[in-house]
Amino acid sequence: MARRAKRGRKRPYHHGRLRQALLDASLEIIAELGVSGLSLREAARRAGVSHTAPKRHFATATDLYCAVAEDAYRRLRAHLLARLAERPAATALEAFGSLGVAYVEFAVTHPEHFRAMFHPGVGDRPASHPLEEAAGAAFAVLVEAVERAQAAGDVRSGPSKDIALGAWSLMHGLAVLAVDRQLVARGFTSGEPLALARQLTQLLYLGLRPGPS
Amino acid sequence: MARRAKRGRKRPYHHGRLRQALLDASLEIIAELGVSGLSLREAARRAGVSHTAPKRHFATATDLYCAVAEDAYRRLRAHLLARLAERPAATALEAFGSLGVAYVEFAVTHPEHFRAMFHPGVGDRPASHPLEEAAGAAFAVLVEAVERAQAAGDVRSGPSKDIALGAWSLMHGLAVLAVDRQLVARGFTSGEPLALARQLTQLLYLGLRPGPS
DNA sequence: CCTACCGATCGGTAGG
DNA sequence: CCTACCGATCGGTAGG
């Protein structure tokens, strides 16, 4: 305010643009240093603003990475829906299976988003928190796919949420192990998580199919 | 050295005892603050020594939590073997399934150990690292159980490591989701991870059983 | 949204 | 294994 003459200079992050710039910077940080390297100051630094500037958008560092995680859940949901829409002619069972592969695909192609979503402490917000709502919306995509597969007679009956949890656990486990490099450490040098995901889809098909057992 | 008169006072962590005291302190820290709260100084503080004392045992904070993780892998392996030995009369298939439940059981009863093992960056050591050897030994327990189940005709043939990975992914996914409170966040308030683990064992049994498909 | 400040914590070194 | 130090980083506040 003191020197209004400076008013004409370029201000890269006017208005609401800083928020997005901070989210972008956060992903960059997570990719380079991991979630533990994320701080308000570092994000501000990369966004080219002073370290107090983020305060108006994110009161604490936790708020920042919750926002990153929330955005990640929205992207995950969009990715899953896009994969479903890609092959609309597929059977309900194939659609269900493709969701699992798409989940792993998202994790390995966007490890920063994936790490943000499942960093310890992030999944501990009240249910009303936007982050939890975004997470719930993503999970709902899976539950609905299970119900369609059940309606088509491809998957055994029973609580759709419980069955969805089985599929989620399987693909989440694989995704986590892949992103944390546990797969290569255990000698899965073929290391193609997507191929493994497709393989595990068969386990789901057999394990969840209807009929006597 | 200056005041030898002090030599008679109690020195709680002589010789090799400091190392164990630091490991104990680390678990305490992880339980309270998470892995991100782990530092050489905080561990030293809780062990009652100066902040330079840990240096002789652990050069860096990474070395410290790698040691915690290595110890955790040994405990996990011992836990799995103990559960196997508990019911030696069980079929090879039941033994295999009980491993999955035991894995989740370990995770939820020792979340600090579990978090240490799978903290991002921990699973990134060279194969020669003791941590990786301990991790490999734990995974081997599962692979061997798969092979026994295959030999008994309870599980379909094929690379035992790939099949073990399926079981691992499934139970690891459930364990991670439980420990990170994702289960309760998704409305699994029944929230009994062990019951869910037993349920998912059925998915494994069906998905991995031999025969035409 | 910025420039000073502050107190706290961390890893690291010197020297004993 | 300890007591001083150090430089760096972080979150936070004052004041504009």
Side-chain angles (χ1 to χ4, degrees):
Chain A
M1 288 303 203
R3 290 182 280 175
R4 304 197 74 152
K6 273 203 169 175
R7 205 148 172 252
R9 81 171 169 180
K10 194 181 174 192
R11 293 191 187 177
Y13 302 119
H14 231 31
H15 304 304
R17 294 209 354 100
L18 176 56
R19 187 190 151 90
Q20 188 56 47
L22 290 169
L23 291 177
D24 294 344
S26 296
L27 287 176
E28 205 181 282
I29 295 168
I30 293 172
E32 279 179 35
L33 311 171
V35 182
S36 64
L38 185 55
S39 70
L40 287 174
R41 288 177 102 110
E42 180 64 23
R45 210 171 289 135
R46 300 201 183 209
V49 295
S50 80
H51 73 88
T52 52
K55 206 73 179 182
R56 321 186 110 220
H57 299 281
F58 306 104
T60 70
T62 299
D63 289 336
L64 174 57
Y65 69 64
C66 278
V68 174
E70 181 190 336
D71 185 54
Y73 273 114
R74 292 188 200 286
R75 287 168 189 268
L76 169 61
R77 180 170 178 275
H79 178 75
L80 296 180
L81 291 175
R83 279 283 175 278
L84 281 183
E86 235 169 47
R87 297 197 297 158
T91 68
L93 183 63
E94 285 167 347
F96 169 64
S98 72
L99 270 188
V101 178
Y103 186 87
V104 175
E105 183 186 17
F106 182 86
V108 297
T109 54
H110 305 292
E112 320 86 22
H113 289 103
F114 192 72
R115 286 213 173 90
M117 285 186 278
F118 297 104
H119 194 72
V122 173
D124 216 3
R125 307 295 132 197
S128 62
H129 194 289
L131 166 59
E132 288 306 319
E133 292 187 8
F139 184 59
V141 173
L142 177 59
V143 174
E144 287 159 17
V146 167
E147 289 169 357
R148 281 191 295 271
Q150 286 179 311
D154 293 335
V155 163
R156 70 164 183 255
S157 60
S160 56
K161 261 182 65 174
D162 286 10
I163 291 177
L165 176 62
W168 187 24
S169 292
L170 182 64
M171 293 305 176
H172 185 65
L174 179 63
V176 166
L177 294 174
V179 169
D180 285 352
R181 314 206 187 187
Q182 293 277 347
L183 291 187
V184 293
R186 281 317 123 242
F188 292 91
T189 52
S190 63
E192 289 164 17
L194 285 193
L196 291 168
R198 270 183 269 271
Q199 196 175 309
L200 294 190
T201 298
Q202 300 304 317
L203 192 152
L204 277 181
Y205 288 170
L206 294 174
L208 296 179
R209 72 180 171 187
S213 61
Chain B
M1 286 303 202
R3 289 183 281 174
R4 303 197 73 154
K6 272 203 171 176
R7 210 159 168 240
R9 81 171 169 180
K10 195 182 175 191
R11 293 191 185 176
Y13 302 119
H14 230 30
H15 305 302
R17 295 209 354 100
L18 176 56
R19 187 190 151 89
Q20 188 56 48
L22 290 170
L23 291 178
D24 294 344
S26 297
L27 286 177
E28 205 181 284
I29 295 167
I30 294 173
E32 279 179 34
L33 311 171
V35 181
S36 66
L38 185 56
S39 70
L40 288 174
R41 288 177 102 108
E42 181 63 24
R45 208 170 290 135
R46 299 198 184 212
V49 295
S50 79
H51 72 90
T52 51
K55 206 72 177 182
R56 321 185 109 221
H57 299 280
F58 306 105
T60 69
T62 299
D63 290 336
L64 175 57
Y65 70 63
C66 278
V68 174
E70 180 190 336
D71 185 54
Y73 273 114
R74 292 187 200 286
R75 287 167 189 268
L76 169 61
R77 179 171 179 275
H79 178 74
L80 296 181
L81 291 175
R83 279 283 175 280
L84 280 183
E86 235 169 46
R87 297 197 297 159
T91 70
L93 183 63
E94 285 167 345
F96 168 64
S98 73
L99 271 188
V101 178
Y103 186 87
V104 175
E105 182 186 19
F106 182 86
V108 298
T109 54
H110 304 291
E112 322 85 22
H113 288 105
F114 192 72
R115 286 213 173 92
M117 285 187 277
F118 296 105
H119 195 70
V122 173
D124 216 2
R125 308 294 132 197
S128 63
H129 195 289
L131 166 60
E132 288 306 320
E133 292 186 8
F139 183 59
V141 173
L142 177 59
V143 174
E144 287 158 17
V146 168
E147 287 168 358
R148 280 191 295 271
Q150 286 179 311
D154 293 334
V155 164
R156 68 162 184 256
S157 61
S160 56
K161 260 181 65 174
D162 286 9
I163 292 176
L165 176 62
W168 188 23
S169 293
L170 182 64
M171 293 305 176
H172 185 66
L174 179 64
V176 166
L177 295 174
V179 170
D180 286 351
R181 315 204 188 189
Q182 292 278 346
L183 290 188
V184 293
R186 282 317 122 242
F188 292 90
T189 51
S190 64
E192 288 165 18
L194 285 193
L196 292 168
R198 270 184 268 272
Q199 194 175 311
L200 293 191
T201 297
Q202 300 304 317
L203 192 152
L204 277 181
Y205 289 170
L206 294 174
L208 295 179
R209 70 180 171 188
S213 61

